[in-house]
Amino acid sequence: MEAVAFLCLAAAALGWGFLWVWDSWERVKGQEPAGVPRDGSRTLLVIAHPDDEAMFFAPTVLGLARLRHRLFLLCFSAGNYYNQGEIRKKELLQSCDVLGIPPSSIMIIDDRDFPDDPAVQWDTERVASTLLQHIEENSINLVVTFDAGGVSGHSNHVALYAAVSDKTLHFSSPPTPQPGCSALTLQSVGVLRKYLSLLDLPFSLLQPPDVLFVLTSKEVAQAKKAMSCHHSQLLWFRRLYVLFSRYLRINSLHFL
């Protein structure tokens, strides 16, 4: 009898949890987040390596596409840590095609000053100067990049946040009616939440971010397709990441 009672309680808890997640998903998926510019905004996604755009930022890219943003991408390295730079450049272009970012809006920096190496600290001033030049040349009014945790803690990711935080860039936060540029950073979460997939959504709603993008099932398939373009990176543990990671389904972001 005790075993039956335990199983009934467990089933009830799982059912309640499923309904909780389902209700949260239905309420927020496809919603237009407050505070984000609408039609005509020129948004720059700043990443460190090819595959960052799909592995971490796919919900943001697809969410901004819903808002009819014109998307640009600036990648600070070719991802040449294992001498696969040329392959990874091509994979990035294929992934961006799936995500709706045209080749003409993509810049990949292949410079010894920004090596793909977690043991090398990129120079913050050089990153900030390169970023500022790209913002000005493309009339960017919204920049999206990593937060101080860099999602995975990779030093190259963190370097981008340090550069975006540089006072010389003069970001307005939150966006103001006057012309200018704002910055959104992707929230890093702990390992457990990182692999909860959509089950993390209620926890994201308990402490609402400035901006929340949640993908529909069709968009999740699109995000996975973009990630599958990075054949050179799809080792067994990244295949598990594709199955369970919240970052292919949910992005929580904060204004700088």
Side-chain angles (χ1 to χ4, degrees), residues 6-25:
F6 174 78
L7 289 173
C8 288
L9 286 172
L14 286 172
W16 178 82
F18 175 79
L19 290 174
W20 184 34
V21 172
W22 183 265
D23 179 66
S24 299
W25 186 38

Side-chain angles (χ1 to χ4, degrees), residues 50-166:
D51 77 12
D52 290 347
E53 82 297 335
M55 188 178 295
F56 305 119
F57 291 97
T60 297
V61 172
L62 296 174
L64 291 172
R66 290 187 212 135
L67 302 177
R68 292 184 286 277
H69 282 219
R70 181 174 178 185
L71 295 166
F72 296 79
L73 183 142
L74 177 60
C75 184
F76 267 85
S77 82
N80 203 39
Y81 189 69
Y82 292 109
N83 298 314
Q84 296 176 309
E86 293 306 313
I87 294 173
R88 297 191 68 186
K89 287 179 188 178
K90 294 176 183 176
E91 292 174 344
L92 175 60
L93 293 173
Q94 293 168 358
S95 172
C96 286
D97 182 60
V98 173
L99 294 172
I101 305 175
S104 60
S105 298
I106 299 168
M107 171 67 73
I108 304 172
I109 299 173
D110 194 355
D111 191 310
R112 66 181 62 186
D113 288 331
F114 307 122
D116 173 11
D117 191 337
V120 175
Q121 298 295 322
W122 291 352
D123 184 273
T124 300
E125 290 186 5
R126 287 188 63 84
V127 176
S129 175
T130 302
L131 176 56
L132 181 59
Q133 179 181 354
H134 208 73
I135 290 171
E136 292 176 342
E137 288 178 354
N138 295 282
S139 303
I140 300 298
N141 50 26
L142 179 64
V143 170
V144 179
T145 194
F146 295 98
D147 70 358
V151 178
S152 64
H154 197 298
S155 63
N156 297 164
H157 299 178
V158 176
L160 298 183
Y161 172 79
V164 169
S165 301
D166 192 296

